């Protein structure tokens, strides 16, 4: 997973496999993490449920999510560059393949078939 902060942020990074090993060794740690994460999940699920009920009752509209970030331009540029690079590689591979096939005069790709009468 990746994340980008748009304002000053303090974050803690954990390797999931190592954290899971610690939780398996120390069940009280695992239980405490479970309680804290489940409280956040319940809060988010309840908010989503309330929003969907309000939309269904026509008390609220579901607004489209518009992501605005100083990093979005960079994301789009890098995605576009990546797609252009992949397209170039595919085109070059196709040209190479076509050149190899064109240099063979007796392969099955050069056979012409005539309808039998």
């Amino acid at each position: 997973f990746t994340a980008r902060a748009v304002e000053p942020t303090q974050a803690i990074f954990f390797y999931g496999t190592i954290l899971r090993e610690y939780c398996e060794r120390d069940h009280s740690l695992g239980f405490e993490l479970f309680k804290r994460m489940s409280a956040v999940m319940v809060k988010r699920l309840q908010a989503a449920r309330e929003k969907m009920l309000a939309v269904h009752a026509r008390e609220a509209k579901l607004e489209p999510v518009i992501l605005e970030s100083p990093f979005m331009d960079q994301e789009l540029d890098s995605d576009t560059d990546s797609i252009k690079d992949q397209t170039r590689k595919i085109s070059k591979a196709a040209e190479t393949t076509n050149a190899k096939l064109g240099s063979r005069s007796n392969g099955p790709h050069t056979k012409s078939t005539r309808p039998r009468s």
Side-chain angles (χ1 to χ4, degrees):
F1 296 104
T2 60
R4 289 196 175 159
V6 294
E7 58 188 44
T9 304
Q10 288 186 343
I12 300 173
F13 172 82
F14 294 101
Y15 284 102
T17 53
I18 295 172
L19 182 60
R20 190 170 34 249
E21 287 174 12
Y22 281 130
C23 290
E24 287 176 7
R25 276 191 246 146
D26 182 359
H27 294 265
S28 61
L29 170 66
F31 183 63
E32 189 63 35
L33 283 173
F34 170 75
K35 286 191 307 186
R36 292 177 184 215
M37 285 189 280
S38 62
V40 172
M41 290 187 318
V42 166
K43 210 181 284 188
R44 290 180 182 179
L45 286 168
Q46 287 291 3
R49 178 183 166 275
E50 289 170 10
K51 178 73 173 183
M52 293 308 297
L53 287 172
V55 168
H56 183 70
R58 301 192 195 292
E59 296 171 2
K61 284 187 172 183
L62 197 57
E63 299 295 326
V65 176
I66 300 173
L67 298 174
E68 292 184 24
S69 163
F71 304 107
M72 288 304 289
D73 292 339
Q74 294 172 0
E75 288 286 322
L76 295 174
D77 290 346
S78 66
D79 288 346
T80 303
D81 291 343
S82 175
I83 290 168
K84 286 179 183 175
D85 289 342
Q86 290 174 0
T87 304
R88 277 191 215 109
K89 287 177 184 176
I90 291 169
S91 296
K92 188 171 184 173
E95 287 173 8
T96 304
T97 301
N98 288 337
K100 286 179 182 177
L101 292 175
S103 66
R104 298 179 190 164
S105 58
N106 57 0
H109 58 278
T110 57
K111 284 186 181 176
S112 62
T113 56
R114 295 183 189 162
R116 293 184 183 187
S117 37

